[in-house]
Each structure stands twice: as C-alpha cells, then as structure tokens.
Amino acid sequence: MSGSPGAAGRPTVLLVHYTFPGVIGGVETVIGQHAAGLRERAHVRLLAGRGPVGVRGVEAVRIPLVDSRHPSVLPLSSELAAGRVPATFDRLRARLRDTLAPHFLGADRVVLHNVVTLGLNLPLVAALHDLGPTLPAGRLVVWVHDLATADPRHAARLHPGEPWALMSRPLPGAQYVAVSATRQAQVATLLGLPVDSVRVVGNGVDLPATLRISPATVALLGRLGLADADPLLLLPARLVRRKRIELAIDAAAELRARGRPARLVVTGGPDPHDPEARGYLLELRTRVAEAGGRDLLLCDALGRSASRRLVDDLYSLADALVFPSIDEGFGLPVIEAAVHRLPIVCTDLPTF
C-alpha cells in the first residue's frame, strides 16, 4: 500500500460516512463492525460529521460539514431538491475538498460508505469527485449500501445537469463494492461499469456476540469445525441405551450420504451408575467410525462431558434437537429446545 503507515508500521484505513457508528442505524452498525474488525491489523480512522464515535481503539476525525444535517448543508440541499443550485454550493464544495484532502492523502485506503451514492450531501459528492483524480489508483473504495436512484424518495430530489449528474458518474480511480448482487447490478447499470468490476461483500453478523456464546464454545467450534455444519443436530443426553443414540447417529449419517454437511453432537457422558455404560460407549464409537467418524461427535470430543454453559451455547447454535428415546419420565431437553425455539425431532411418546 502507498500512503503513510499508521501506528507500529500498520497501514492506515480511513472509513468515511455522514455519522459515526455511535448513531443508531444499519450503515453505522456495519461501519462499526468494519472498524472493530480492522483495528488489530490497521490503524483505523473514522471520519464523520456527527454523533458518538461508538468504537474503541480507533481514531475519530470529526468534520461537521460532512454531516447531511449540518446547518449549512440542510438549506442548500432543499434548494438542490427543488432543482436550483445555490451560490453557496461551490464554496462548500471547495471547503470540503480542502479539508478532506490531507486526511485522504494520509491514509492507505479510504472507504466511502454511502456518501458518494446516496447524495444526501451533494457538495460532499462534488468534493470527492474533485479529490478522486488527485489520489493514487486504488486508494478510494466506494462501499455501496444504498443508491439514491434506487429509492424513489431520494431519486425525486435529483435533476438533469450538474451537480446531480455526478450521481451517475463513477468516482475516478475508485474500486466499487456493493453489499449484495442486487446492488452490484444497479451500480454497474447506473455507472456504466462491467458487473464483475463491482465486488460484492455482504454484511455479516458477529454470531458469538449476538448469541452471547462463550469464548470456550467459540474455540470448540473452531477446533471441531462445527461452524460449517448444516444442519447442526444436538442430542443432550447421557449415553444410556434407552436414549437410542445409535438412531441419531444413523440419521445424521444418512443426511451426510445425501450431500448435507450434517453434524451430530451428543453432549452427555456414560451413565456413572450403569456397569454396562462402558460397553455402550464402545458400541457407539464403532458406529460413529463406520458412519463418518469425525463428523459425528460423542462426549469424547467435548472433553468427556459437556459443561452446562456449553450445552446452553449449543442450544443457541443448533438447527434441531434430536431426541429418539424409547422411554422418558419427563424429557427436559424438549422443554429446553422449545425455550430456544429449536425444531424438535423426537419419539412420539405421551410424555413429550
């Protein structure tokens, strides 16, 4: 990368939006996730006009004129929406260009989130088109969440001629990224770009944080490759014959034979009160080995018997509870699965 290295020789990434991630909104949430994900590998700067920063360990660059609701921008935007270009337009364009230039020159990558394509601050769009040709190729990344032309509410504010025509011209030297194939096609059509030149990077969810999964479970998922399971089947029971765990093993093996990357996790250990428990465990191990081995996990893989926290985490992550017992006095896993809104595949017992 070109530009000025950040702390400890790491590259500097500048993320630009109207508002900081501390403002509640979908795009702000994604920017916050990007910033948090990048900060271990880069010096991250967030550039915006308004709001709490919302992310720790990053540098904030606050330029009020970037905000779409700045007192100098709002009346100008009203005039532009009516098809009139105020005399103040060029002055704001120049102020923004000159203010942004040193920050853009001091970064290795500048990622523009929506500020080029949504057009809520047209002087800012114009300033970015002025800056684009002055920067090394590849410095700018235009990350497209929304397009003014795809939203009737915003499209109605656009008119023929300048500066509105900037919304249908690609930013010079920029790499375009769209959040979906739909946006990719819209961007390519609007800007006259080859479709495959617009990269698609979808938004994501931090699954452990969203589901409050423990670090120990996250480590286990990585070690056992459970994150790729589809479906992930859970059987939280001790290894006793009336639980008929062999049926769950056979069912999961059949799914895998049909091309599904199914995984079965049996969380309980051998019954400590049953002298035949060891023999049943050995039978199940043999059945697992015959059915696919590493893809069907008995308690051995979980550290003999799973902790309560691990079982709760697996309920949150699983796609279905499998409970083929031949007899149960109650069957607590069925209740626990219901609490977690899990589909339940179980024996047709009156108790259940």
Side-chain angles (χ1 to χ4, degrees), residues 202-251:
N203 298 329
V205 172
D206 184 342
L207 197 62
T210 301
L211 297 179
R212 295 178 173 84
I213 303 300
S214 71
T217 301
V218 173
L220 182 73
L221 291 175
R223 178 167 65 85
L224 300 178
L226 291 176
D228 297 326
D230 182 23
L232 175 60
L233 306 175
L234 177 63
L235 204 173
R238 278 182 176 174
L239 306 184
V240 295
R241 290 189 185 277
R242 67 180 174 84
K243 302 290 185 181
R244 296 199 297 182
I245 292 164
E246 61 274 10
L247 290 185
I249 292 172
D250 292 347

Side-chain angles (χ1 to χ4, degrees), residues 156-277:
R157 301 167 64 89
L158 303 178
H159 301 274
E162 301 292 334
W164 305 278
L166 292 171
M167 301 298 297
S168 58
R169 290 205 295 268
L171 190 64
Q175 167 67 58
Y176 277 77
V177 176
V179 295
S180 66
T182 298
R183 282 285 184 259
Q184 177 194 42
Q186 291 170 335
V187 170
T189 300
L190 174 67
L191 302 180
L193 298 172
V195 172
D196 58 4
S197 74
V198 180
R199 299 183 186 179
V200 176
V201 179
N203 298 329
V205 172
D206 184 342
L207 197 62
T210 301
L211 297 179
R212 295 178 173 84
I213 303 300
S214 71
T217 301
V218 173
L220 182 73
L221 291 175
R223 178 167 65 85
L224 300 178
L226 291 176
D228 297 326
D230 182 23
L232 175 60
L233 306 175
L234 177 63
L235 204 173
R238 278 182 176 174
L239 306 184
V240 295
R241 290 189 185 277
R242 67 180 174 84
K243 302 290 185 181
R244 296 199 297 182
I245 292 164
E246 61 274 10
L247 290 185
I249 292 172
D250 292 347
E254 177 64 22
L255 284 172
R256 295 191 65 82
R258 297 184 184 190
R260 296 294 297 276
R263 307 292 298 276
L264 170 69
V265 179
V266 182
T267 61
D271 186 348
H273 311 294
D274 183 358
E276 297 183 4

Side-chain angles (χ1 to χ4, degrees), residues 20-34:
F20 286 103
V23 173
I24 296 175
V27 175
E28 287 83 357
T29 297
V30 173
I31 294 170
Q33 292 170 340
H34 287 189

Side-chain angles (χ1 to χ4, degrees), residues 55-241:
V55 183
R56 295 180 180 177
V58 301
E59 180 183 347
V61 180
R62 192 177 299 272
I63 299 176
L65 271 179
V66 169
D67 183 14
S68 62
R69 291 171 50 186
H70 187 276
S72 297
V73 174
L74 275 175
L76 183 147
S77 294
S78 296
E79 289 289 298
L80 288 167
R84 298 183 292 269
V85 183
T88 55
F89 182 90
D90 286 335
R91 290 199 295 272
L92 284 182
R93 175 183 191 163
R95 283 178 61 189
L96 281 162
R97 180 185 64 234
D98 295 344
T99 305
L100 292 172
H103 299 289
F104 283 31
L105 290 169
D108 297 285
R109 289 290 184 273
V110 180
V111 186
L112 306 170
H113 287 270
N114 261 13
V115 292
V116 179
T117 57
L118 195 52
L120 299 181
N121 185 336
L122 271 176
L124 174 59
V125 175
L128 294 172
H129 276 265
D130 292 341
L131 282 171
T134 71
L135 300 172
R139 175 76 56 91
L140 292 176
V141 178
V142 177
W143 205 285
V144 185
H145 304 263
D146 301 292
L147 279 172
T149 55
D151 185 331
R153 183 169 57 98
H154 296 300
R157 301 167 64 89
L158 303 178
H159 301 274
E162 301 292 334
W164 305 278
L166 292 171
M167 301 298 297
S168 58
R169 290 205 295 268
L171 190 64
Q175 167 67 58
Y176 277 77
V177 176
V179 295
S180 66
T182 298
R183 282 285 184 259
Q184 177 194 42
Q186 291 170 335
V187 170
T189 300
L190 174 67
L191 302 180
L193 298 172
V195 172
D196 58 4
S197 74
V198 180
R199 299 183 186 179
V200 176
V201 179
N203 298 329
V205 172
D206 184 342
L207 197 62
T210 301
L211 297 179
R212 295 178 173 84
I213 303 300
S214 71
T217 301
V218 173
L220 182 73
L221 291 175
R223 178 167 65 85
L224 300 178
L226 291 176
D228 297 326
D230 182 23
L232 175 60
L233 306 175
L234 177 63
L235 204 173
R238 278 182 176 174
L239 306 184
V240 295
R241 290 189 185 277

Side-chain angles (χ1 to χ4, degrees), residues 300-319:
D300 307 56
L302 306 177
R304 192 60 176 172
S305 189
S307 68
R308 182 67 247 182
R309 177 61 193 273
L310 173 57
V311 173
D312 287 340
D313 287 345
L314 289 171
Y315 270 118
S316 296
L317 292 163
D319 295 300

